[in-house]
Amino acid sequence: MTFNPLTEKGIPLEKQLRNWRELDVEPLDPDATDPYTRCRVIVMNGIEIESIMFSHHMARTCPDPEVKRQLAYTRYIEAQQQKVVNWLLPPIASTLETTIAYEQVAVDLTAWIARMEPDPYLTQAYEFGVLEDFDHLYRYANLFEMIERRKAEKVVDGLTEVMPGRPTKMHHRHPYDNVRDPYDRNKVNPLSRLHALTVMSAEQQTMNFYMNVGPQYMEPIARQLYVEIGMIEQEHVTHYESLVDPGETWWERLVHHEYNEVYLYHSFMTQEPDPKVKAIWELHLNMELEQLRVACDLMRRFDGREPEEVLAPELPAPVTFEPNKEYLRHLLDTQIDLTTLGAGYVRDAHERFEKLQEQIHGGEEPPSERVIDMHRERFGTEYRIETEGPHPVKSLRQPEDKR
Ligand SMILES: [Fe+2]
Ligand SMILES: [Fe+2]
Ligand SMILES: [Fe+2]
Ligand SMILES: [Fe+2]
């Protein structure tokens, strides 16, 4: 059965407001939760935060008091949705445990989107980025065992492998080389817009998260690793946001934000095994349908265009959390040595890249390398989860696998 968000009926806006009791959701049980349920929570938190911040930015450029009030009302509801979603996270999870889940999201969400993306230039952007978050997962997993004496397999549960990706120290590029070319809003497949918005929102939340939690640790290596990876997440936001056509009008962008929320809540509702969480996805879906209808009305009034001109006629195939191990191994095998030059990709280090590398590393090994060395010193080996065999790149294999 096809689901057309433009004709489905939602919950009237004035009925969307919830009281404190309704907002007080029971958090997930960390020992009994599917890791991908936690991943869906993390994605939807990032999506709701983007919708709030987007609405604030739009309001700041909006001279019409009636529209400003309308935006303020919907934004208040979005803020309630964000609380409900993010307050599902298990309260006893440590910052590092949540960090590992954030990187698992970046890996399996971006890999899935890369597999589904119809435009080859956009696919390349996701394939490039995913190998970096894949490496972050490995660095944080080593830190996790070192300072908390716990293993990342408890968090990712064998669904996502943990091993070196493109080495983190190579992610520090000149900022000019993080700017990609945008898609063309008049030609782009509607699905590509949704993909770009989703990955951008998820990376933005990761950037915000590391900016805030990084200084909570006492151990110098932990503080340093959050500085280093925090800087890279900002590069990732630059990389992904530059894919979006800057010529989209505010109304068009508003409609896309609401449509994407509908798409993702609908996607996650259909695959959620936890009944309490599923009920939240369903409730929020029904809220977003009405928020979308209101946004479409604004677009007709102020942009003089029909939303059908820019939106997909029906929801694309649901965004799915599932293992992407073979696909990631294929990317490791073929794209690990890529870097960027201008809006394109190259295999060789170039002058601008090397200059920045020299400046940022100052002749020393960065925290992302030292964390692995320290782990090897203390445990005799590094932490990995290689469920599908030795690393596909021979030089990145463990010593016992190199033979
Ligand atoms: Fe929302
Ligand atoms: Fe990352
Ligand atoms: Fe990232
Ligand atoms: Fe919304």
Side-chain angles (χ1 to χ4, degrees), residues 126-311:
Y126 302 125
E127 290 181 342
F128 181 79
V130 75
L131 285 188
E132 303 199 333
D133 291 311
F134 188 74
D135 195 73
H136 297 167
L137 178 60
Y138 157 71
R139 311 278 157 180
Y140 280 130
N142 277 268
L143 181 66
F144 187 49
E145 186 170 37
M146 215 160 52
I147 69 177
E148 296 193 21
R149 302 281 156 165
R150 293 166 69 205
K151 291 184 187 292
E153 63 228 43
K154 283 273 180 247
V155 185
V156 301
D157 202 17
L159 296 168
T160 312
E161 292 190 281
V162 177
M163 56 182 164
R166 180 177 305 120
T168 289
K169 72 170 168 186
M170 309 301 274
H171 305 176
H172 306 286
R173 292 174 287 274
H174 191 284
Y176 290 174
D177 296 317
N178 289 322
V179 180
R180 313 263 68 77
D181 287 333
Y183 59 69
D184 178 342
R185 66 196 265 255
N186 299 310
K187 294 190 197 134
V188 68
N189 183 319
L191 177 61
S192 299
R193 293 188 202 250
L194 303 176
H195 285 166
L197 190 49
T198 300
V199 177
M200 179 193 88
S201 305
E203 293 287 333
Q204 174 176 263
Q205 173 50 22
T206 308
M207 170 181 82
N208 289 337
F209 185 66
Y210 298 166
M211 288 199 282
N212 290 311
V213 302
Q216 287 175 2
Y217 279 93
M218 295 274 285
E219 294 81 354
I221 186 66
R223 301 173 68 82
Q224 293 158 8
L225 188 63
Y226 273 102
V227 170
E228 184 182 1
I229 298 184
M231 288 304 293
I232 296 159
E233 300 305 346
Q234 191 275 326
E235 293 189 74
H236 286 176
V237 178
T238 301
H239 173 83
Y240 292 121
E241 76 186 0
S242 59
L243 299 172
V244 176
D245 187 337
E248 291 174 349
T249 68
W250 282 101
W251 312 106
E252 200 174 342
R253 288 184 232 174
L254 177 64
V255 163
H256 284 125
H257 275 77
E258 297 295 4
Y259 192 98
N260 199 38
E261 289 181 285
V262 167
Y263 175 41
L264 291 171
Y265 279 127
H266 185 270
S267 296
F268 292 167
M269 184 189 82
T270 57
Q271 57 199 264
E272 183 56 64
D274 181 329
K276 278 191 222 147
V277 179
K278 189 187 176 97
I280 292 172
W281 302 151
E282 187 173 9
L283 174 65
H284 285 196
L285 166 65
N286 286 313
M287 293 177 164
E288 300 296 351
L289 284 168
E290 179 67 5
Q291 295 172 20
L292 173 64
R293 195 192 60 73
V294 171
C296 286
D297 279 352
L298 289 171
M299 185 176 178
R300 284 189 200 96
R301 255 173 77 196
F302 294 96
D303 232 7
R305 285 193 300 161
E306 288 300 321
E308 286 84 353
E309 290 172 29
V310 293
L311 294 172

